[in-house]
Each structure stands twice: as structure tokens, then as C-alpha cells.
């Protein structure tokens, strides 16, 4: 697993590929400290030290969503965890009011509001970037 790998929409994070079968990634999971949680009868979420979440369909064994959190060093077209989103960058994104996330080129970006002490303005800081199968759109 490469925690500096580019985040590729609809495809991968950290070298783990969307739509891959979990057993294809077995060496990644067995060699690391993954925990898991079954969040309904059909889906399991694997966690790696608060860095990654891998969502797997139990019936097919396929990875359908991967999320990166603080500590992941790769980027999504220049956007990294911890980045403050500029107004220009946000203008390139769609905002989902219901989920309260930004949608950007086939990925989702979660943010938190932080106060910038330099200009005393609230800004959006990236806390999570997720990629998923196109079927989830």
C-alpha cells in the first residue's frame, strides 16, 4: 500500500482499486492493522489506523468505496487532506447540500470549517477524500 499515491476518481486510493475483489488485496490487509465492522448484512467497512476506510460488498467481495483521512499524503488533482479549499477551487466543484460534501471529478471531499487567524475568515479544510464506483452516483 502506498499512502502517497495519487487519488484517482472511480479507480483507486493508496493502490487499492475500486471494484477489485477483496482477496486480491489480501496482502495489503493482512500486512497492516486493519479492523473491520459489518454495518449491515451486505457491507463491511475495513479501517486502517484512521488513515483509510475500505467498503466492501459482502456478496460480491468487491471494493465499492475507499476513503482517505488525515495522514494520507496523496492528492486528488492537487487537493490533499488538510488543504484549505480556495473559492476558485470550490467554484469547480458541486456542493451536495443534503450530504454536506463537495463532489469533484468523480470523488467526494468532506470538509470542516476552520477559522483562519490571518484574515479572521471561516474556511473549508479538507478532512476526507473518497472514491467510489460510478454506480453509486
Amino acid at each position: 500500500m502506498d499512502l502517497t499515491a495519487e487519488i484517482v476518481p472511480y479507480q483507486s486510493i493508496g493502490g487499492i482499486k475500486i471494484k477489485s475483489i477483496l482477496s486480491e488485496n489480501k496482502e495489503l490487509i493482512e500486512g497492516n492493522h486493519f479492523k473491520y465492522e459489518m454495518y449491515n448484512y451486505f457491507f463491511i467497512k475495513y479501517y486502517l489506523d484512521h488513515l483509510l476506510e475500505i467498503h466492501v460488498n459482502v456478496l460480491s467481495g468487491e471494493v465499492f468505496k475507499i476513503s482517505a483521512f488525515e495522514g494520507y499524503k496523496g492528492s486528488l488533482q492537487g487537493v490533499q487532506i488538510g488543504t484549505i479549499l480556495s473559492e476558485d477551487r470550490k467554484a469547480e466543484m458541486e456542493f451536495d447540500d443534503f450530504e454536506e460534501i463537495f463532489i469533484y471529478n468523480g470523488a467526494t471531499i468532506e470538509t470542516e470549517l476552520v477559522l483562519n487567524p490571518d484574515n479572521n475568515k471561516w474556511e473549508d479544510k479538507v478532512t476526507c477524500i473518497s472514491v467510489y464506483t460510478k454506480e453509486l452516483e
Side-chain angles (χ1 to χ4, degrees):
M1 179 172 359
D2 180 1
L3 297 178
T4 63
E6 185 73 14
I7 297 170
V8 184
Y10 302 122
Q11 292 184 31
S12 67
I13 291 181
I16 300 168
K17 294 183 176 159
I18 293 292
K19 289 202 161 191
S20 62
I21 304 300
L22 183 61
S23 61
E24 294 172 8
N25 295 304
K26 199 171 187 176
E27 68 281 351
L28 297 174
I29 292 171
E30 288 179 349
N32 291 289
H33 302 288
F34 275 95
K35 295 180 177 142
Y36 67 92
E37 164 190 336
M38 191 164 200
Y39 58 98
N40 67 34
Y41 293 113
F42 304 107
F43 306 114
I44 293 179
K45 187 186 318 183
Y46 288 87
Y47 302 92
L48 173 63
D49 299 329
H50 305 289
L51 288 171
L52 291 177
E53 285 181 0
I54 302 170
H55 299 250
V56 177
N57 180 315
V58 173
L59 299 176
S60 68
E62 285 186 351
V63 174
F64 65 90
K65 179 180 175 185
I66 309 166
S67 300
F69 298 91
E70 187 176 350
Y72 189 86
K73 302 299 181 199
S75 68
L76 168 68
Q77 301 169 0
V79 176
Q80 289 183 293
I81 307 299
T83 299
I84 300 295
L85 294 179
S86 68
E87 292 303 316
D88 290 340
R89 181 66 82 156
K90 287 192 280 189
E92 299 171 357
M93 301 178 185
E94 175 187 339
F95 187 74
D96 182 321
D97 290 318
F98 182 74
E99 295 287 336
E100 296 184 346
I101 57 173
F102 290 94
I103 301 167
Y104 182 60
N105 295 337
T108 60
I109 298 174
E110 296 176 38
T111 61
E112 67 180 358
L113 283 175
V114 295
L115 184 61
N116 182 332
D118 297 331
N119 60 17
N120 212 26
K121 291 185 178 180
W122 290 97
E123 299 177 329
D124 289 294
K125 178 182 173 185
V126 176
T127 58
C128 175
I129 300 174
S130 299
V131 298
Y132 45 86
T133 61
K134 287 185 180 187
E135 292 81 9
L136 290 180
E137 289 189 311

